Amino acid sequence: VKPYGSYYNIPIGQLGLRLTKHSYSLPLVAYSFLGIEVIAVAAFEAKKSSYLRWPSRVIAYVIFLLYFLCTIGETLTVGWRSKHLPMIYEGLANSTTTASGPTTPPNSTSLAVTAAWAAGYHNLAGFLNGCLIFSVLSASNTSLYVSSRTLYGLTREIPDTNWLGRKLHSLSFVVRQTGVPATALLFSAISFFWLPFLQLKAGYAIQDVSSNNRQNALR
Amino acid sequence: VPLIFLENEFLTKVLRSSSLLAPLLVAEYSTTMEVFATTLHAPERKAYLRIESLEVAGPAGLILSVIAIGFVAIFVSECISELSQQFPAPNAIVEYVKTFVDKDLGWVVGIAYWYAFASVFAVQNLAAAELSKYWGLSQTFQTLAFYGLAPLVILTLNFFGVYVGLVSPISFVYG
């Protein structure tokens, strides 16, 4: 691992800088393992909990093996100073006016797509991108499922002795026919529905905060 | 789990609670990092701050990170699978903390867990919109398809409940 010093201009030792970078990459990687414990949330709704015995035991090993092999493949194919690697949290901090994605094809910041393109499989890159979109939407589906069940479990136990308690308790309403905690589901979906729309207004919400924060940091 | 842990009630408690809290901490930490990283850096410096795990840590660092977090994930998953087979319960993550650790901590964990996953729901839709740029999808269609339509479709699908079939709300594919 080569050290390089252009990331932060802070005068700390080279070793410290490298360690800082490595520890900074840990949460980024951890984000991809998010949801490994979801099986505990789903276990109660399985037809028979014994059906989940084998999958719940194996899933982490399978995911780890897949990620490990993918990572090796991707690091061998994509240079670590590649222009295609995304800017800092582009998905959130990006706006329509300051968007300056990679100028050479493929127009993607995903490692898998870039790797397939770099290896010469241009059709495969498009296919992989489709797969990624599907899996991301599937993951967002799972997130909604988990958050609705968690909210249901929390609000179910709130005593409805006063006004606030009654309001919160009503979030645990379950539709009898489907067994779905409908109110909790709706509440979970709406509570962050507005978040993606923030980045439409350039230089307004996120970037205002970011420049303020930087000025505070410089002081 | 070594036998000594099983014999000692306190150690078993600590072990169980730490295994339950680890995914929550990881989830919370990474969503916080995401927001933190967005607010930390000014847009004009973005060109110098290209950050993907690969670019921050380098190839070897990335592989080491995957191994380190992978081991944590495996430990968590082992404990979770044991517990969920032994004590199947609705809202398991919160109930386990309430039962084995502390009732009040259970509330904290529950609220943090809901917050993490409810916000990840929005962030994932944003990520899907970002990926669709590959085909040159304009911002208007991105907004319509992934900020508006996708959450609505997913919400509708979820209203039908869990069943075995083509579309199942449970999936372990995380991008």
Side-chain angles (χ1 to χ4, degrees), chain A residues 33-53:
Chain A
F33 280 96
L34 180 63
I36 202 94
E37 79 293 340
V38 163
I39 201 144
V41 182
F44 190 70
E45 283 184 63
K47 228 179 222 172
K48 262 179 159 183
S49 71
S50 60
Y51 285 176
L52 284 175
R53 190 171 296 157

Side-chain angles (χ1 to χ4, degrees), chain A residues 14-187:
Chain A
Q14 200 67 260
L15 178 72
L17 196 64
R18 275 163 71 181
L19 281 178
T20 316
K21 283 178 199 159
H22 287 184
S23 50
Y24 196 75
S25 83
L26 281 174
L28 295 176
V29 175
Y31 189 63
S32 59
F33 280 96
L34 180 63
I36 202 94
E37 79 293 340
V38 163
I39 201 144
V41 182
F44 190 70
E45 283 184 63
K47 228 179 222 172
K48 262 179 159 183
S49 71
S50 60
Y51 285 176
L52 284 175
R53 190 171 296 157
W54 186 78
S56 68
R57 216 176 267 166
V58 172
I59 196 82
Y61 292 96
V62 173
I63 287 179
F64 172 62
L65 190 70
L66 282 177
Y67 277 1
F68 184 64
L69 293 178
C70 279
T71 311
I72 289 182
E74 285 162 355
T75 47
L76 286 176
T77 328
V78 180
W80 67 309
R81 290 179 184 232
S82 163
K83 290 267 187 291
H84 288 290
L85 295 178
M87 295 172 216
I88 182 151
Y89 291 105
E90 198 174 25
L92 279 171
N94 195 10
S95 67
T96 45
T97 48
T98 56
S100 54
T103 44
T104 50
N107 185 11
S108 173
T109 48
S110 162
L111 258 182
V113 175
T114 320
W117 188 280
Y121 302 108
H122 293 188
N123 291 332
L124 182 69
F127 175 72
L128 278 178
N129 198 52
C131 293
L132 279 175
I133 288 181
F134 179 79
S135 74
V136 166
L137 288 178
S138 160
S140 90
N141 187 16
T142 313
S143 311
L144 184 61
Y145 170 84
V146 172
S147 60
S148 70
R149 292 329 187 253
T150 310
L151 190 63
Y152 159 73
L154 279 176
T155 50
R156 196 182 44 153
E157 285 168 29
I158 294 175
D160 49 356
T161 45
N162 55 20
W163 180 81
L164 187 65
R166 270 194 295 281
K167 286 281 165 215
L168 288 173
H169 189 79
S170 67
L171 282 175
S172 64
F173 165 74
V174 177
V175 180
R176 193 170 290 168
Q177 288 87 356
T178 51
V180 174
T183 332
L185 187 67
L186 198 63
F187 186 82

Side-chain angles (χ1 to χ4, degrees), chain B:
Chain B
V1 182
L3 270 177
I4 186 161
F5 278 102
L6 287 176
E7 279 165 13
N8 187 321
E9 201 184 332
F10 175 71
L11 282 179
T12 320
K13 263 190 180 177
V14 170
L15 196 73
R16 274 182 185 156
S17 58
S18 58
S19 72
L20 283 171
L21 285 176
L24 301 171
L25 291 178
V26 166
E28 266 304 282
Y29 186 56
S30 33
T31 31
T32 318
M33 283 300 286
E34 190 127 338
V35 177
F36 175 71
T38 326
T39 51
L40 189 63
H41 305 295
E44 62 266 31
R45 287 190 67 201
K46 259 163 53 175
Y48 308 102
L49 293 171
R50 298 175 165 278
I51 159 174
E52 161 102 345
S53 324
L54 178 57
E55 183 139 18
V56 184
L62 176 61
I63 292 171
L64 280 177
S65 303
V66 169
I67 291 174
I69 300 289
F71 271 100
V72 174
I74 284 171
F75 295 152
V76 167
S77 172
E78 281 283 349
C79 297
I80 287 284
S81 76
E82 288 291 332
L83 279 171
S84 65
Q85 288 299 314
Q86 193 72 34
F87 315 105
N91 199 20
I93 303 279
V94 176
E95 289 305 321
Y96 293 159
V97 177
K98 271 187 184 169
T99 314
F100 297 122
V101 192
D102 185 64
K103 213 160 182 237
D104 296 339
L105 189 65
W107 283 100
V108 176
V109 163
I111 291 163
Y113 200 66
W114 173 80
Y115 176 82
F117 272 93
S119 56
V120 158
F121 172 61
V123 172
Q124 298 276 20
N125 290 329
L126 230 151
E130 186 68 23
L131 280 168
S132 72
K133 277 185 191 164
Y134 177 82
W135 291 296
L137 203 63
S138 71
Q139 183 67 51
T140 319
F141 283 106
Q142 272 184 50
T143 311
L144 282 175
F146 293 103
Y147 302 172
L149 188 64
L152 285 179
V153 169
I154 290 170
L155 180 65
T156 319
L157 273 180
N158 269 275
F159 273 122
F160 290 114
V162 183
Y163 62 96
V164 183
L166 193 65
V167 187
S168 149
I170 302 300
S171 120
F172 290 94
V173 194
Y174 264 82

